[in-house]
Amino acid sequence: MTPEYRVGHGLDSHRLVPGRPLLIGGVTVPGSPRGPEAHSDGDVLLHAVADALLSCFALGDIGKIFPPSDPAHAGLDSRVIVAAVLQRVRARAPGAVLVNVAAVVTLDAPKLGPLRENVAQSVAGLLGLAPEDVGLTFKTSEGLAPDHVQASVTLLAIVV
Ligand SMILES: [Zn+2]
């Protein structure tokens, strides 16, 4: 049987505020004086991954599954969000296999380059992929959005 190819895309941003840890793909960025203002832990990369997975199978978005208005989700670990989304994907498409993830993270400071392997490993581990299947592009906003962290994620799945 010819496999069905499906693409998903997710985008997430948060404002950076003092006194919050900065998490990217489940990895804490050391030495960051600021982190995301968010109801959950504000991990932009995992939020974009979760939305990309949902978008891939037309399952809605994480705002629908984890409404920010629900106090039970305060401080939520975004790895839990990704795990819950994966469960929904498996229920919808039991034959789905993820192929690769391509992510762009935009952050002016600190530089994320030194964390590339850690972040790829962390995201790959959550998704059952190999680290070389997680492409990470780190960009700055060129000073246009210094108080902002953003992630955009595209992923490919096949359904056999
Ligand atoms: Zn978010």
Side-chain angles (χ1 to χ4, degrees), residues 39 63 66-74:
H39 190 63
F66 295 97
S69 54
D70 187 340
H73 301 148

Side-chain angles (χ1 to χ4, degrees), residues 1-132:
M1 204 173 77
T2 313
E4 179 191 8
Y5 291 83
R6 302 187 67 98
V7 169
H9 182 232
L11 178 71
D12 193 56
S13 356
H14 287 272
R15 176 188 301 277
L16 293 169
V17 292
R20 294 260 305 172
L22 177 59
L23 282 144
I24 301 288
V27 173
T28 302
V29 178
S32 177
R34 298 189 295 172
E37 186 174 54
H39 190 63
S40 69
D41 65 14
D43 190 321
V44 278
L45 180 50
L46 293 189
H47 292 180
V49 163
D51 269 339
L53 285 165
L54 292 169
S55 118
C56 193
F57 296 93
L59 289 167
D61 54 55
I62 53 174
K64 183 176 130 187
I65 302 173
F66 295 97
S69 54
D70 187 340
H73 301 148
L76 189 65
D77 183 335
S78 294
R79 292 173 297 188
V80 172
I81 295 176
V82 171
V85 163
L86 278 174
Q87 265 185 359
R88 282 167 194 249
V89 166
R90 285 193 197 105
R92 166 66 63 93
V97 179
L98 280 180
V99 177
N100 74 307
V101 172
V104 181
V105 180
T106 305
L107 177 71
D108 279 10
K111 293 278 181 256
L112 296 174
L115 297 175
R116 188 183 306 276
E117 278 175 31
N118 287 356
V119 173
Q121 229 159 41
S122 170
V123 173
L126 291 171
L127 298 177
L129 291 171
E132 54 267 32

Side-chain angles (χ1 to χ4, degrees), residues 123-140:
V123 173
L126 291 171
L127 298 177
L129 291 171
E132 54 267 32
D133 297 327
V134 179
L136 294 169
T137 304
F138 296 134
K139 305 285 287 182
T140 75

